[in-house]
Amino acid sequence: VSEEVQDRVQEFLEECRAENEQITKELKETEMLIGQTSSEVDKTTRQNAEITNRLRQIENNIDTVPREDIQNVYNAAQRTQGRVFLMRGQLENLEAKRDAKQEYQALLIKVINVLAQLDTGGEVAPAAGGSVEFTPAQSMVARIIEAQESEKARLARAMHDGPAQRLTNLILQ
């Protein structure tokens, strides 16, 4: 392998490592947001249960409860149900983003490992179940193509899940 190719491999390896560090930070932030959103969903769900109990009490005493109180409780029930629905949608979006980032990071780590082996002159093991032996350069190309295809599939899932889910949420609201 020429020195120019080795330099390009080293440069790409450093870029991948920097990207991995960035993804790690983003995953930590996403996990924090998931935790916050999850606790907010729990809190709002409890509020919704309390309001539902108040509605049942009103239904049992409908003749004695002032009309304004009934209206206030029903409005509160609608607000909390809408908020629960919205927060659950946000939680699902965050979890989908986390999962996609984890898949991307796993793929990135594979690329880093392959590039590190190439950079040190080590042989790259063939893919699991493959009987064809590749030279390090061929293996790198094959793995990069595999990484690109995996990333395309991930992006296709993200496009399908994200905008489609948001549109459904918007329609339901």
Side-chain angles (χ1 to χ4, degrees):
V1 182
S2 73
E3 190 171 317
E4 180 184 337
V5 172
Q6 286 179 333
D7 290 343
R8 290 175 65 194
V9 167
Q10 179 63 33
E11 182 180 315
F12 187 55
L13 177 61
E14 293 307 316
E15 288 174 12
C16 288
R17 285 180 175 151
E19 178 71 12
N20 187 38
E21 288 177 23
Q22 180 64 32
I23 290 295
T24 301
K25 289 177 187 176
E26 290 176 12
L27 277 169
K28 287 179 183 177
E29 292 171 3
T30 303
E31 286 294 337
M32 184 184 70
L33 288 172
I34 286 172
Q36 291 172 345
T37 305
S38 181
S39 63
E40 186 67 26
V41 165
D42 292 342
K43 176 183 164 188
T44 308
T45 301
R46 284 190 304 271
Q47 288 174 345
N48 189 47
E50 291 171 8
I51 291 173
T52 301
N53 287 335
R54 286 176 50 201
L55 280 172
R56 286 187 191 123
Q57 291 171 352
I58 287 176
E59 287 174 356
N60 291 335
N61 302 314
I62 194 90
D63 295 332
T64 60
V65 178
R67 182 179 176 95
E68 186 176 317
D69 289 351
I70 295 171
Q71 190 174 18
N72 288 339
V73 172
Y74 273 105
N75 287 339
Q78 283 181 324
R79 281 192 308 272
T80 57
Q81 286 173 353
R83 185 155 170 79
V84 166
F85 180 76
L86 180 66
M87 296 299 292
R88 283 184 179 155
Q90 288 175 347
L91 184 60
E92 288 174 8
N93 272 342
L94 287 169
E95 289 170 341
K97 284 180 184 179
R98 178 201 56 206
D99 294 345
K101 286 179 184 181
Q102 287 174 336
E103 288 177 26
Y104 176 61
Q105 187 177 42
L107 186 62
L108 196 56
I109 289 170
K110 287 180 185 178
V111 170
I112 288 170
N113 290 336
V114 169
L115 290 174
Q117 286 177 335
L118 283 174
D119 191 45
T120 60
E123 290 295 314
V124 179
S131 59
V132 178
E133 299 268 338
F134 291 112
T135 66
Q138 289 172 325
S139 179
M140 181 180 80
V141 170
R143 290 182 189 242
I144 288 174
I145 290 171
E146 182 181 314
Q148 288 174 337
E149 291 302 317
S150 296
E151 182 63 10
K152 285 179 189 177
R154 185 197 65 79
L155 287 173
R157 283 192 309 274
M159 290 296 293
H160 178 266
D161 293 345
Q165 187 176 16
R166 288 189 190 108
L167 181 59
T168 302
N169 285 341
L170 181 64
I171 290 169
L172 290 172
Q173 287 176 2

